[in-house]
Amino acid sequence: MSTAKPLAGLRIVELGTLIAGPFAARICAEFGADVIKVESPDGGDPLRKWRKLYEGTSLWWFVQARNKRSLTLNLKHPEGLAILKTLLADTDILIENFRPGTLEKLGLGWDVIHALNPGLVMVRLSGFGQTGPMKDQPGFGAVGESVGGLRYITGFEDRPPVRTGISIGDSIAALWGVIGALMALRQREVKGGKGQIVDVALYEAVFAMMESMVPEFDVMGFVRERSGNIMPGITPSSIHTCADGQSVQIGANGDAIFRRLMRCIGREDLALDAQLADNAGRDERRDELYALIDAWVGSLSQEAVLETLAQAEVPASRIYSVADMFSDPQFLARDMFINGKLPDGRQFKMPGIVPKLSDTPGATEWVGPTLGEHTDELLKGLGYDADAITRLRSEEAI
């Protein structure tokens, strides 16, 4: 295994706040990129104060900003802006998730940045993208999930739409941002291209995950609706309640798997039923099948259900909480919990690195930094001496 990381040598400047931009930069930092997070001296990224706080700082922050260096710059001050331009002149990727037009108002539009550094790749994450009639509207992940189609199909048919328990739209957009950045870098480095803009709209990031929704509507006029825990057309796949009140997810929609499940529940006749040999036929009789599976699961404990299905090689699982994950052998075997240290020295668990690279894996070198922790270090690297840094700080430029 190599000790080198695949993105070592890349410099990334992050101008984002909260979730989408910072998550994209975090992924790059975990795999070796030098990520410089530019924050306002006046409090920095609001994520520092979101959700559960430990001695005044969000536990989420320590994960979201791991391996990053924090530089405080007042971008409304001429010298703060000048420092950023100096930094961008020697940067590979700029990641920003401001509302479109914000950087332009600061004098940092693409024309300026591209002239300053023709090789720089600019990742722009926003609610609705950099063009179109909705580009100026604010758009958090919740809005992107709503416009992109996810909220409409999530929940039960007789109830209003619901959200997932996390900001999934922001995270999906971040993944597209990283993919786009790496594509643009390949174009630059392998094919001799220049830097370019990677324009990621949150609603489009979600929309891109909507599977067969578009052709089904275009060709057949079919509008996918909320369907609770089942997925019409993919049968059987649902959550069922055991005799002890615990839940299990069973996915037996594969043809051979379905036959194994039917034999588990003592219905050899259904395993051999020609109408149930494929998804289309099973879906026509899904109410009948789900009633049978519900009755079988409801007669046994969760442990008995899972043991029986495991022996029959039918995909199934209990519904994990984070407490379940902490002691689960699979999570532990794949290092999905790693140790970090809080500022007071206390050890705490963080999520492990994804994906797993066999030769150049990612790692956590340090947790999210204090506000401006690396400002002096970075400014010295740009040629500022101690007196100049003191003056900049007194003038509130940094």
Side-chain angles (χ1 to χ4, degrees):
M1 182 183 294
S2 172
T3 57
K5 295 187 178 64
L7 300 185
L10 286 180
R11 169 173 283 181
I12 297 175
V13 169
E14 178 201 311
L15 294 179
T17 60
L18 299 177
I19 304 174
F23 184 40
R26 165 190 152 185
I27 294 168
C28 297
E30 289 169 348
F31 286 91
D34 177 19
V35 175
I36 300 169
K37 182 175 180 63
V38 176
E39 299 185 79
S40 167
D42 184 21
D45 190 331
L47 192 75
R48 289 176 176 274
K49 299 296 181 182
W50 274 28
R51 294 192 61 81
K52 301 295 185 183
L53 306 185
Y54 182 83
E55 297 187 348
T57 299
S58 168
L59 287 166
W60 188 2
W61 165 261
F62 293 120
V63 177
Q64 187 81 316
R66 59 189 181 187
N67 293 3
K68 300 179 185 179
R69 296 196 283 172
S70 173
L71 167 66
T72 51
L73 292 178
N74 178 0
L75 299 183
K76 296 180 180 178
H77 191 288
E79 290 202 69
L81 193 60
I83 291 169
L84 178 58
K85 287 183 177 180
T86 301
L87 193 60
L88 291 177
D90 190 30
T91 289
D92 296 286
I93 303 171
L94 168 63
I95 298 175
E96 66 96 4
N97 65 342
F98 298 129
R99 193 185 301 189
T102 299
L103 287 185
E104 285 75 6
K105 289 177 183 176
L106 291 170
L108 280 175
W110 174 246
D111 55 341
V112 174
I113 290 175
H114 191 58
L116 185 68
N117 182 350
L120 183 142
V121 171
M122 186 178 190
V123 178
R124 312 197 76 171
L125 299 117
S126 62
F128 298 98
Q130 303 298 313
T131 59
M134 297 177 73
K135 69 180 178 66
D136 295 323
Q137 293 189 27
F140 282 170
V143 175
E145 292 163 29
S146 299
V147 177
L150 180 60
R151 293 289 178 96
Y152 186 84
I153 61 172
T154 303
F156 289 84
E157 56 269 34
D158 58 344
R159 304 175 208 174
V162 299
R163 64 165 297 156
T164 57
I166 57 170
S167 303
I168 191 69
D170 289 291
S171 299
I172 292 171
L175 295 175
W176 285 120
V178 174
I179 292 168
L182 296 179
M183 289 177 178
L185 284 179
R186 177 171 173 80
Q187 172 67 19
R188 186 190 79 180
E189 296 175 1
V190 176
K191 299 188 176 183
K194 295 182 178 180
Q196 58 183 298
I197 297 172
V198 178
D199 181 2
V200 179
L202 267 66
Y203 85 96
E204 292 170 356
V206 172
F207 177 71
M209 312 303 290
M210 290 297 100
E211 299 179 350
S212 59
M213 188 174 72
V214 168
E216 287 174 351
F217 176 72
D218 184 50
V219 176
M220 300 178 176
F222 176 79
V223 177
R224 186 179 296 191
E225 301 286 348
R226 293 182 291 285
S227 56
N229 289 324
I230 71 168
M231 187 173 290
I234 302 176
T235 303
S237 179
S238 188
I239 294 174
H240 307 271
T241 303
C242 305
D244 54 12
Q246 300 299 308
S247 298
V248 294
Q249 169 71 52
I250 300 175
N253 45 286
D255 297 343
I257 298 171
F258 170 75
R259 292 192 292 272
R260 294 200 295 270
L261 175 61
M262 290 300 99
R263 291 183 176 113
C264 272
I265 68 175
R267 294 302 301 265
E268 178 73 19
D269 58 319
L270 297 180
L272 300 176
D273 190 325
Q275 186 185 5
L276 303 177
D278 60 22
N279 256 314
R282 291 193 293 273
D283 197 53
E284 289 181 14
R285 294 168 60 181
R286 65 173 178 262
D287 291 345
E288 171 193 349
L289 293 175
Y290 282 129
L292 289 169
I293 300 167
D294 278 338
W296 179 74
V297 172
S299 70
L300 300 170
S301 67
Q302 183 189 69
E303 182 179 355
V305 169
L306 292 175
E307 182 178 344
T308 302
L309 295 179
Q311 290 176 355
E313 297 185 349
V314 174
S317 173
R318 67 183 188 271
I319 311 299
Y320 279 55
S321 72
V322 67
D324 296 320
M325 298 171 191
F326 258 58
S327 59
D328 186 81
Q330 181 67 20
F331 279 80
L332 299 177
R334 289 181 58 81
D335 296 323
M336 287 314 301
F337 298 104
I338 56 178
N339 290 321
K341 282 190 177 180
L342 294 166
D344 64 359
R346 175 178 173 173
Q347 282 204 342
F348 76 117
K349 298 290 185 185
M350 295 184 291
I353 306 296
V354 177
K356 309 293 187 190
L357 272 62
S358 62
D359 193 49
T360 55
T364 295
E365 306 297 338
W366 62 86
V367 300
T370 58
L371 182 61
E373 181 176 333
H374 303 96
T375 297
D376 288 17
E377 169 190 312
L378 287 163
L379 291 179
K380 287 176 183 176
L382 295 175
Y384 291 84
D385 61 23
D387 290 339
I389 294 171
T390 299
R391 177 184 61 78
L392 289 168
R393 190 165 278 120
S394 67
E395 294 176 0
E396 299 184 344
I398 61 174

